[in-house]
Amino acid sequence: MSVFSSTTASAPASAATATTSTTASAASAASRRPTQAELLDFARRVAADAELIASLPLDPEGRTWVRLEGPAGGEAWLIGWPPGTGTGWHDHADSVGAFVTAAGELTENSLAARLPTDGWKTLELTADVDRERRLPAGRGRSFGRHHVHEVLNGSTERHAISVHAYYPPLPRIRRYSRSGQTLRLEQIERPEDWQ
């Protein structure tokens, strides 16, 4: 059973604001798009907040999540992963993003290929596009628009917890199925489907 918290939590002040010396420069930073590196830095700072990480309710069977305030008007999520769970293949459309493992270990499988953004239902992938990253606690990665991946907790015994940040807030998530080298668009989710 998946548990969803409809409450938006504030990330700690150190994570939710740009590291600046003046209010004016903070306002300027908030008015521009955060870079992938800034999203990754934000996710790292939130993942280091032991009290926030410990506050996430964990379900033994399904992923749990709490929405956080992201940097510069973006969105962020604190996600709990029971053993053996994953996202399935998906992308985040026009949003750039980053995530950091806060506890446990996650595996990211991704495609190192630029895919068409729209207008297709099935693609044949070449044999050399697959990438795998193991991300233990404290490790993360950032990614650009239309990045196709799946994230998994391969542990058979231990939950994992991660922090994800996106800018702009997710306009949609496209879900895919994969059979061998065939990638097929299966579903498009909109914010109302997960918020």
Side-chain angles (χ1 to χ4, degrees), residues 95-144:
S95 295
V96 297
F99 70 98
V100 171
T101 304
E105 180 176 278
L106 293 172
T107 299
E108 180 202 37
N109 296 316
S110 63
L111 300 179
R114 184 176 289 279
L115 303 181
T117 56
D118 286 306
W120 62 276
K121 193 79 164 142
T122 303
L123 288 176
E124 289 299 317
L125 304 170
T126 61
D128 61 348
V129 298
D130 289 295
R131 301 293 182 268
E132 179 183 275
R133 286 181 179 85
R134 295 202 180 277
L135 301 164
R139 298 268 324 264
R141 70 155 350 254
S142 63
F143 49 86

Side-chain angles (χ1 to χ4, degrees), residues 86-101:
T87 60
W89 289 95
H90 68 283
D91 73 14
H92 305 101
D94 292 316
S95 295
V96 297
F99 70 98
V100 171
T101 304

Side-chain angles (χ1 to χ4, degrees), residues 87 89-93 118 120-121 172-177 184-190 192-194:
T87 60
W89 289 95
H90 68 283
D91 73 14
H92 305 101
D118 286 306
W120 62 276
K121 193 79 164 142
R172 61 187 170 154
I173 293 177
R174 294 181 293 195
R175 300 222 172 256
Y176 305 97
S177 63
R184 181 172 285 113
L185 176 64
E186 296 291 345
Q187 178 181 4
I188 297 175
E189 295 177 3
R190 309 258 180 229
E192 57 270 17
D193 296 325
W194 65 80

Side-chain angles (χ1 to χ4, degrees), residues 12-26:
S14 63
T17 58
T19 305
T20 58
S21 57
T22 67
T23 304
S25 57

Side-chain angles (χ1 to χ4, degrees), residues 36-176:
Q36 291 177 40
E38 290 167 334
L39 291 171
L40 184 58
D41 183 57
F42 171 88
R44 280 193 177 117
R45 288 182 305 196
V46 175
D49 183 337
E51 185 177 333
L52 179 64
I53 300 309
S55 74
L56 180 66
L58 299 177
D59 183 288
E61 296 175 17
R63 288 188 299 147
T64 55
W65 56 88
V66 174
R67 186 176 180 169
L68 306 171
E69 292 180 23
E75 88 183 87
W77 297 88
L78 179 62
I79 301 176
W81 307 75
T85 59
T87 60
W89 289 95
H90 68 283
D91 73 14
H92 305 101
D94 292 316
S95 295
V96 297
F99 70 98
V100 171
T101 304
E105 180 176 278
L106 293 172
T107 299
E108 180 202 37
N109 296 316
S110 63
L111 300 179
R114 184 176 289 279
L115 303 181
T117 56
D118 286 306
W120 62 276
K121 193 79 164 142
T122 303
L123 288 176
E124 289 299 317
L125 304 170
T126 61
D128 61 348
V129 298
D130 289 295
R131 301 293 182 268
E132 179 183 275
R133 286 181 179 85
R134 295 202 180 277
L135 301 164
R139 298 268 324 264
R141 70 155 350 254
S142 63
F143 49 86
R145 300 175 327 137
H146 308 288
H147 174 71
V148 178
H149 69 165
E150 67 175 348
V151 180
L152 311 160
N153 177 5
S155 173
T156 59
E157 302 171 356
R158 185 173 178 201
H159 270 79
I161 298 175
S162 57
V163 177
H164 302 247
Y166 306 100
Y167 191 89
L170 296 171
R172 61 187 170 154
I173 293 177
R174 294 181 293 195
R175 300 222 172 256
Y176 305 97

